[in-house]
Amino acid sequence: RRHVRMTMNAAKLRKFYADIPAESPFLYYPLHVPADFALTIRSPEYLDQLSLIDFLCRIAPMGRKVVIKEHPALIGGLPAGRMGDLLHRHDNLVLLSPGINNHTVLRRAEAVVTVNSKAGAEALLYRRPVLALGDSFYRDSGLVTVIDALRDLPARLAGAAIPQEEDVNRFLQDVWSASVPGELYDVRDENVAEFAASLLGVLRSEKG
């Protein structure tokens, strides 16, 4: 039933899909997978992403678009009715086609607002200001503007920090050095075995 509902939602949303705004500067909010662990456990206060998007549209600086894109892992996961209502109520809201590459959007964005999406880390590669609302691995990196309460977001938008290339490279190298092998969406036997070994190694080191 869930997948049928998603298919119907995706079909209804198709008429709203648009390209990246050609001229208008925009804030980019990459949609998280609805009801994913990243929201339900790590940042439950932002579980209702459409309410958050409504807020972004209302506080975006004059002349700024708010651009959103569905997570490629769950296209059609958000209710088409509410999404359509938002698009009708806010002329500064743009729903991108989910087929557009995320890096293409990040290169064009003026700033990125995210809860804890990995797109926030990817935005650092393009030296885009990132406003981090939730708990993420880059929250305490010193490279993003941390928003502890949503009411602070409007005031922090104008002064969001632009990350410096050397600092970004240093942080990402530290993350890479602390990482272990394992691909989440690769179900080949060899990857599953490698992933399991990595998880066991981390657990043993935590116990030690």
Side-chain angles (χ1 to χ4, degrees):
R1 287 199 299 267
R2 182 188 186 194
H3 286 284
V4 169
R5 186 170 62 251
M6 287 169 53
T7 300
M8 294 176 63
N9 277 333
K12 292 176 182 177
L13 288 174
R14 197 169 294 126
K15 64 182 177 182
F16 297 114
Y17 289 155
D19 291 325
I20 301 173
E23 298 178 359
S24 300
F26 62 87
L27 309 176
Y28 179 41
Y29 176 80
L31 282 158
H32 297 67
V33 173
D36 185 68
F37 181 91
L39 295 176
T40 57
I41 302 300
R42 291 168 55 198
S43 297
E45 63 271 36
Y46 299 112
L47 185 59
D48 186 350
Q49 296 186 85
L50 296 186
S51 291
L52 175 57
I53 291 167
D54 179 58
F55 180 74
L56 284 175
C57 290
R58 287 187 282 112
I59 60 96
M62 184 69 68
R64 276 9 178 222
K65 300 283 188 182
V66 174
V67 168
I68 60 176
K69 189 167 80 74
E70 294 167 279
H71 194 287
L74 212 66
I75 296 170
L78 292 169
R82 284 189 64 194
M83 184 73 82
D85 179 62
L86 279 177
L87 289 162
H88 281 123
R89 285 194 291 113
H90 297 294
D91 59 7
N92 62 338
L93 179 60
V94 178
L95 174 63
L96 295 181
S97 169
I100 297 176
N101 188 283
N102 202 46
H103 288 272
T104 302
V105 188
L106 292 170
R107 279 194 293 266
R108 297 275 300 279
E110 182 178 36
V112 176
V113 179
T114 182
V115 178
N116 51 33
S117 171
K118 67 178 178 60
E122 292 170 343
L124 297 176
L125 293 170
Y126 302 101
R127 297 189 59 205
R128 294 296 180 263
V130 176
L131 296 104
L133 301 172
D135 180 25
S136 61
F137 71 90
Y138 49 82
R139 178 183 174 89
D140 298 323
S141 66
L143 302 171
V144 304
T145 299
V146 175
I147 307 298
D148 291 315
L150 193 57
R151 63 177 178 273
D152 298 331
L153 180 58
R156 304 296 299 279
L157 273 172
I162 298 176
Q164 299 303 306
E165 185 175 3
E166 289 185 4
D167 297 330
V168 171
N169 292 342
R170 186 180 305 110
F171 170 69
L172 294 179
Q173 181 59 58
D174 289 344
V175 171
W176 176 262
S177 299
S179 300
V180 294
E183 171 55 48
L184 185 60
Y185 296 109
D186 185 348
V187 296
R188 291 175 302 165
D189 290 344
E190 55 267 35
N191 178 68
V192 172
E194 184 175 54
F195 207 152
S198 293
L199 289 174
L200 288 171
V202 171
L203 291 172
R204 291 188 185 115
S205 65
E206 290 292 331
K207 289 180 180 179

